[in-house]
Structure formats: C-alpha cells, structure tokens
C-alpha cells in the first residue's frame, strides 16, 4: 500500500508528461521574456478585489507600478479566460488593449522615458478557473467546510497567477512589494501574504482585509484564503530576532492545531540551522488551513494535511522517519528558502525549488534525530524515482521537467554531500546560497556554478548527468579472486564520479570511468556492496 500511495503521489503531484510536445505561440507568450515584458521592471502591485463565494465570482483592479528600463510603448499584461479585462488606464486615461489568448498588449499613450516610474491600473472581473485538483491543477477552490461555511483558496503554480488576477505572469521579475485588499462577506476572513494592516467594514455587510508584503514576492506565491477562520500565534526567537508566527485554522480544528502546529517552530529551528535565517521576518510566518493539501505561498504557507504526521498519514520514505513530522509543514515551509527566497526564472528549472526542498525533509530529520536517520530518510525516498525523462524541462514555454525533480533532486544533493566529505562546508554552501541569492530569481547554471566554485570541483559532468539525462549511472563489477574490475555504464561522456563501496565489509573509494579499471587486493574479494548514499546502481557482471 505504501508503494502504491507513493507512486500515486508522484503521478498526481507531478503529472504524467508527454515526452515530445508541439508548443504553441501561447506557450511562448506565457513562458518567455517577450519584448513587451522586457522593457519594464516591476516595483509594486496593489491587488484590490472583491470575492463573492456564493457566485464563484471575483473582480476589482490591480495597480501595476514599474520602472522604465528602455523606452517602449506596448506593455504585456496576462489574465486568463474566462476572466475578462474591463479596462486598463494610465493617469486616468483609458488605453487601447489588443488581446491574444491570455496575453493582453496595452498601447501606452504617454511617452515611456528611461528611468521613470509609471503605473497602469487593470480593471477586471469574472468567474475564474475552478481548481480541478488543487494544488497541482490549480485555480480557485470553491469549497465548503464541515459546517457548511465557505472555504475558498487560490493555488496556481504552473497554471499561473494570471488564472485569477492580472499581472506580469513570468517568474523572472518579482515585484518589490505588494498590497493585497480583499473584500468578502462579513462572516468570513481573508488571509493573504505579509502582515494584516487593517480591516475595513462596509455598510453592505462586507469587510475588506488589507494585507501588505514588504519583501519581493513571486507571482505564484500570492494567495487568498477565505473561511470562518480563528487565529492563534506565538513568537519564535530566531536567528534574525523575534519571528511572529501566526496560525489561521477552522474553528472546530483549533485544539488539534494548537498541538499539531508545534511542528512549525521546530521546522524553523531546523531549517534556519541548515539554510540560514528565515527570509521574511518583516512579513511574519503563517500557516493557513485550506481545502487542499498545501502550497508554499510566501509568508502564508497553506496547510491541508488533515493534522496527520507524514504525507496524509503515510511515510514517503518507507523508513519510519517520515512519521516523525507533518510532511506539509516541513516541506512547504522549506520552500520559504528554496522557491520564495531563491526563485527559478523559468519553470524548466523547477528542480531548484523541489529538489532542495525535498532534501530539506531529510535535513529536518537529521537535525532532530541524527545524521544516520536523515540519510536513511533521503535514501528511502529514492525508491520513488521514475527516471522517465530529464529533471530540467523546456525553456521559454512554461514547461517543467520530470517529477523526479523532487526525490531524484534530493538524492543528487545527498550524493554531492558525500563527495564533499565536509558537513560544515556543505552546510556553509546551503546557507551561502540563501545569503548570496537572497530574494533573487536564478537559473540552474547559476546554482551549478556557485556550488562548483564553493566546493572547488568541476561539477559540469555531474550536473549534466543527473539533471539533463534520464539515466542513473551503473557501476559494473567483475570479481576474479583478489582482482576487482569496475567501470561506469549508462553515463554521458566524461562522467567519472568517485563512489564509496564496502569491499569485504571495509569502506573505501573507487574511481570508475567509462573504461574498465582493474584493482588488485592482497586477499580475495568475497563481498562488494555500494554505499547507498550515492545515487548509482550496481551490476555484478559474470
């Protein structure tokens, strides 16, 4: 049953991708830095909307403030059907808009001068796409809680934030700060990112919840969560000072949450040790209950693991260690560092989010239960690897790679740690990534080059093998009394990673290449076992 659930997790979470696909112009407009995106730099959003759960409707405006990088007169705004743009204005003047699918090209009347700060206001409304299988097939989840009250939430990685609000829907350009104002029926509460500034009451039995995000935020990290929430919280004494930790849950789950959410400060403690200070102290940390499994919305992590340990009560590693923590709390909080602090520029590099964050689960286990336990956990998750296609996807068309980005990604990092043979140096690299790329969007090549530089190793073939090829290296062996022959197969040209093996129960390094290498021992070779901490397969050749 465990293996079936694990396989199901990957098929649902990552989808079954087609190996070859014809991409459309819409894919390019969504996934590339078009000329109509490149000339302006986002600085501020004010998303100001009303949500009517009874009608599954929302509408309002988004003010988009930007700096002109180069003079240009056409600006691309993204909003997906069936939502529609009512008008777009600049300085109060309505502008001409040409629509091509989900991309809307705005012709600006005012001359756009390099260095100037300008803004447009996009007015829109409609019935947004309803999430079919949140968070993987996202949109808006219009649900009811056990008491029949509205339970509404957004989730939109992959499909795009423009599924429910108009924005510059490409990951390369994060907005510097953001205001989020959401008007809902007075019996409901909206929880979004950042800090709650005030609640505005209206005469028509509605309230507007005003939130403000101080730090840069990626588009898919913006969220709305609407329910009859109750709130509790605590202050965590973290590396960067006092961290406000707030929890918003359904009223009938309050007692359960007060006990279960003790995993939240434990997670911050472990991951600050490995990755450095939580990246968004100014915006606080929140766990918000939602009607789907969960998602890494920045400073507003959503939770729907039904107050179980593990992944919906199951251990994805098959080792027992996965039942020591709530998977969603640890995994989605891990994304605050790898996804929200360090964000991919192109979804083809999504492994940067998911590989490091899947690895953070084992680091949590190691922090509290020891190095051996952490290693057992991450190696256990290698049973989930499918090797169906490369981890890196197709650039410029909004196409991610294999679902192996999760646990193949984690085991790649675990293997790399073995090669370094210096745990403090490894921890320094993880913390350094979050320091040196703080609040930035990055590419895989930047991450590869950084790790190569800090380790002092040329890791070109290592990363090419594991990220850009779908094969696991195989160490082939031949044993002839006291003579051991070995080589690699299923590798790219130039791959020659050393690996540890137990020979007659003695741990030692060997250095396979594509050609056979022969090593002679004083005594006969009676047994040979690969160190399981390396992401390689073994084959004894008769």
């Amino acid at each position: 049953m465990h293996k079936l659930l694990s396989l199901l997790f990957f098929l649902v979470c990552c989808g079954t991708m087609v190996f070859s696909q014809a991409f459309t112009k819409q894919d390019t407009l969504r996934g590339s830095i078009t000329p109509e995106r490149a000339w302006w730099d986002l600085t501020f959003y004010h998303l100001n909307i009303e949500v009517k759960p009874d009608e599954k409707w929302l509408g309002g405006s988004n003010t988009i403030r930007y700096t002109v990088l180069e003079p240009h007169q056409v600006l691309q705004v993204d909003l997906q059907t069936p939502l529609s743009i009512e008008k777009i204005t600049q300085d109060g003047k309505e502008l001409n808009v040409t629509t091509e699918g989900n991309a809307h090209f705005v012709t600006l009347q005012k001359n756009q001068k390099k260095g100037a700060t300008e803004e447009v206001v996009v007015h829109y409304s409609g019935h947004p796409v309803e999430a079919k299988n949140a968070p993987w097939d996202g949109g808006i989840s219009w649900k009811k809680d056990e008491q029949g009250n509205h339970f509404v939430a957004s989730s939109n990685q992959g499909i795009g934030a423009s599924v429910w609000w108009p924005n510059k829907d490409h990951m390369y350009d994060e907005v510097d700060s953001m205001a989020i104002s959401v008007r809902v029926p007075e019996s409901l509460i909206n929880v979004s990112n950042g800090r709650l500034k005030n609640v505005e009451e209206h005469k028509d039995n509605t309230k507007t919840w005003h939130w403000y995000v101080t730090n840069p935020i990626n588009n898919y990290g913006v969220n709305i969560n609407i329910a009859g929430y109750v709130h509790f919280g605590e202050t965590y004494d973290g590396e960067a000072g006092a961290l406000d930790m707030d929890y918003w849950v359904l009223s009938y789950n309050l007692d359960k949450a007060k006990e279960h959410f003790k995993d939240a400060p434990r997670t911050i403690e472990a991951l600050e040790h490995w990755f450095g200070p939580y990246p968004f102290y100014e915006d606080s940390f929140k766990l918000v209950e939602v009607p789907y499994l969960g998602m890494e919305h920045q400073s507003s992590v959503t939770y729907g693991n039904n107050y179980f340990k593990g992944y919906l009560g199951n251990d994805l590693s098959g080792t027992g260690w996965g039942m020591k923590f709530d998977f969603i709390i640890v995994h989605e909080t891990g994304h605050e560092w790898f996804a929200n602090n360090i964000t991919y520029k192109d979804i083809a590099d999504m492994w940067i989010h998911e590989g490091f964050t899947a690895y953070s689960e084992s680091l949590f286990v190691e922090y509290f239960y020891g190095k051996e336990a952490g290693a057992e956990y991450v190696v256990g998750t290698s049973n989930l690897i499918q090797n169906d296609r490369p981890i890196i996807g197709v650039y410029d068309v909004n196409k991610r790679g294999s679902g192996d980005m999760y646990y193949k990604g984690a085991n790649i990092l675990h293997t790399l740690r073995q090669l370094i043979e210096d745990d403090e140096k490894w921890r320094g690299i993880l913390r350094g990534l979050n320091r040196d790329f703080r609040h930035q969007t990055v590419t895989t090549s930047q991450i590869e080059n950084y790790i190569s530089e800090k380790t002092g190793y040329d890791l070109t073939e290592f990363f090419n093998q594991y990220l850009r090829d779908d094969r696991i290296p195989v160490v082939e062996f031949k044993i002839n009394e006291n003579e051991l022959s070995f080589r690699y197969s299923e590798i790219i040209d130039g791959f020659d990673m050393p690996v540890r093996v137990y020979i007659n129960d003695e741990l030692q390094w060997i250095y396979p290449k594509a050609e056979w290498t022969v090593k002679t021992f004083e005594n006969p070779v009676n047994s040979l076992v690969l160190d399981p901490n390396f992401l390689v397969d073994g084959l004894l050749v008769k």
Side-chain angles (χ1 to χ4, degrees):
M1 176 63 104
H2 163 71
K3 289 186 177 178
L4 178 61
L5 284 169
S6 299
L7 180 59
L8 205 58
F9 163 72
F10 265 80
L11 292 176
V12 172
C13 182
C14 305
T16 50
M17 299 286 187
V18 181
F19 285 89
S20 62
Q21 177 177 337
F23 295 105
T24 67
K25 187 174 182 182
Q26 279 298 300
D27 295 321
T28 300
L29 290 175
R30 170 78 172 84
S32 66
I33 304 171
T34 63
E36 293 78 17
R37 284 171 169 160
W39 65 270
W40 54 288
D41 177 56
L42 270 173
T43 59
F44 178 74
Y45 284 135
H46 181 195
L47 179 61
N48 186 6
I49 62 173
E50 181 172 8
V51 179
K52 297 180 178 179
D54 284 337
E55 302 173 26
K56 296 185 178 181
W57 178 96
L58 58 80
S61 66
N62 187 27
T63 299
I64 304 173
R65 190 174 302 155
Y66 60 91
T67 299
V68 178
L69 302 177
E70 295 293 339
H72 202 75
Q73 293 302 123
V74 180
L75 175 149
Q76 179 179 339
V77 172
D78 304 287
L79 182 68
Q80 298 180 35
T81 56
L83 292 172
S84 60
I85 290 177
E86 296 166 354
K87 64 178 179 178
I88 299 179
T89 62
Q90 185 165 65
D91 297 337
K93 298 178 180 178
E94 189 167 344
L95 304 172
N96 183 60
V97 181
T98 301
T99 294
E100 188 169 347
N102 296 322
H104 309 273
F105 298 96
V106 187
T107 300
L108 303 167
Q109 298 175 12
K110 181 180 182 180
N111 287 334
Q112 305 294 296
K113 297 179 180 180
K114 185 175 182 177
T117 297
E118 303 288 356
E119 65 182 40
V120 295
V121 182
V122 183
H123 299 265
Y124 78 109
S125 64
H127 302 274
V129 169
E130 186 166 356
K132 297 180 181 68
N133 185 29
W136 308 288
D137 191 352
I140 301 293
S141 297
W142 305 98
K143 304 292 185 181
K144 296 286 186 71
D145 66 17
E146 291 179 8
Q147 297 177 347
N149 301 310
H150 286 294
F151 197 13
V152 179
S154 62
S155 58
N156 49 248
Q157 186 178 22
I159 194 172
S162 56
V163 77
W164 66 276
W165 62 287
N167 61 83
K168 188 181 192 178
D169 205 358
H170 192 288
M171 299 297 289
Y172 87 100
D173 190 6
E174 289 189 346
V175 71
D176 297 337
S177 60
M178 182 170 183
I180 306 168
S181 302
V182 182
R183 187 168 179 166
V184 296
E186 63 179 357
S187 61
L188 301 173
I189 291 171
N190 173 72
V191 181
S192 289
N193 314 80
R195 291 186 183 271
L196 181 63
K197 291 302 181 180
N198 67 290
V199 181
E200 183 182 0
E201 297 187 6
H202 306 286
K203 294 180 180 179
D204 63 350
N205 300 319
T206 62
K207 293 181 179 179
T208 300
W209 296 76
H210 295 280
W211 297 83
Y212 193 85
V213 183
T214 300
N215 289 291
I217 185 169
N218 59 61
N219 286 338
Y220 89 86
V222 176
N223 70 347
I224 54 173
N225 307 287
I226 300 165
Y229 288 120
V230 293
H231 166 263
F232 68 103
E234 60 188 312
T235 301
Y236 176 76
D237 184 14
E239 282 196 21
L243 174 61
D244 292 327
M245 302 186 68
D246 293 290
Y247 312 115
W248 298 83
V249 300
L250 299 177
S251 58
Y252 52 81
N253 288 328
L254 179 60
D255 291 339
K256 252 190 300 193
K258 284 183 175 180
E259 179 60 31
H260 200 78
F261 283 7
K262 289 178 181 178
D263 267 357
R266 293 177 79 229
T267 302
I268 298 293
E269 179 183 349
L271 298 188
E272 283 204 329
H273 170 82
W274 286 107
F275 297 155
Y278 171 74
F280 308 107
Y281 271 74
E282 301 87 348
D283 291 322
S284 77
F285 173 88
K286 292 185 290 300
L287 277 180
V288 187
E289 189 169 2
V290 290
Y292 61 86
L293 186 61
M295 193 74 197
E296 66 261 25
H297 302 104
Q298 184 174 308
S299 73
S300 182
V301 171
T302 49
Y303 176 84
N305 201 37
N306 296 330
Y307 301 95
F308 289 135
K309 294 293 186 181
Y311 178 94
L312 291 173
N314 295 278
D315 176 10
L316 295 180
S317 76
T319 65
W321 294 114
M323 300 306 294
K324 298 290 186 181
F325 61 94
D326 185 305
F327 174 93
I328 290 298
I329 292 177
V330 173
H331 182 89
E332 305 307 345
T333 300
H335 275 308
E336 294 282 38
W337 284 265
F338 289 97
N340 297 335
N341 187 38
I342 303 173
T343 307
Y344 57 67
K345 285 186 177 178
D346 190 302
I347 200 171
D349 288 335
M350 188 174 168
W351 85 274
I352 297 169
H353 294 196
E354 300 302 348
F356 280 90
T357 302
Y359 182 56
S360 76
E361 299 158 27
S362 67
L363 295 178
F364 174 93
V365 172
E366 177 173 337
Y367 182 84
F368 286 107
Y369 304 105
K371 185 175 180 179
E372 185 177 341
E376 287 178 4
Y377 179 88
V378 69
V379 171
T381 63
S382 67
N383 292 322
L384 301 170
I385 297 172
Q386 303 294 305
N387 296 316
D388 54 351
R389 65 193 178 283
I391 286 176
I392 291 180
V394 183
Y395 292 100
D396 297 325
V397 289
N398 195 45
K399 180 69 172 180
R400 65 187 182 187
S402 167
D404 281 347
M405 69 179 78
Y406 288 76
Y407 290 116
K408 187 174 182 180
N411 278 275
I412 290 168
L413 297 171
H414 185 61
T415 298
L416 189 52
R417 180 181 181 179
Q418 313 313 307
L419 298 176
I420 293 171
E421 289 192 288
D422 185 332
D423 288 347
E424 279 308 303
K425 186 174 186 177
W426 179 236
R427 178 177 168 232
I429 290 170
L430 296 174
R431 291 174 67 94
L433 284 166
N434 281 282
R435 179 189 64 242
D436 296 341
F437 294 110
R438 176 178 168 83
H439 296 173
Q440 294 180 37
T441 58
V442 301
T443 63
T444 286
S445 61
Q446 285 178 281
I447 300 300
E448 291 177 74
N449 292 339
Y450 185 92
I451 296 174
S452 292
E453 177 189 341
K454 297 303 180 183
T455 60
Y457 301 144
D458 182 355
L459 296 168
T460 302
E461 282 75 26
F462 176 89
F463 284 118
N464 284 340
Q465 175 74 48
Y466 284 115
L467 297 179
R468 298 176 177 88
D469 196 277
D470 60 3
R471 297 170 294 172
I472 298 292
V474 176
V475 185
E476 297 184 352
F477 301 100
K478 293 180 183 177
I479 298 174
N480 184 14
E481 295 184 351
N482 65 336
E483 197 173 80
L484 174 67
S485 303
F486 50 86
R487 71 174 181 183
Y488 271 125
S489 63
E490 301 297 320
I491 57 170
I492 63 169
D493 290 343
F495 183 82
D496 61 355
M497 180 183 75
V499 63
R500 285 195 304 257
V501 296
Y502 291 88
I503 298 174
N504 296 341
D505 296 325
E506 181 183 339
L507 189 62
Q508 55 187 282
W509 288 92
I510 60 172
Y511 298 84
K513 299 179 184 298
E515 305 78 26
W516 285 103
T517 298
V518 180
K519 187 172 183 179
T520 304
F521 297 84
E522 292 184 7
N523 300 310
V525 177
N526 297 318
S527 65
L528 187 149
V529 179
L530 285 167
D531 184 337
N533 294 296
F534 288 75
L535 187 56
V536 295
D537 289 331
L539 177 64
L540 182 62
V541 179
K542 300 294 186 181

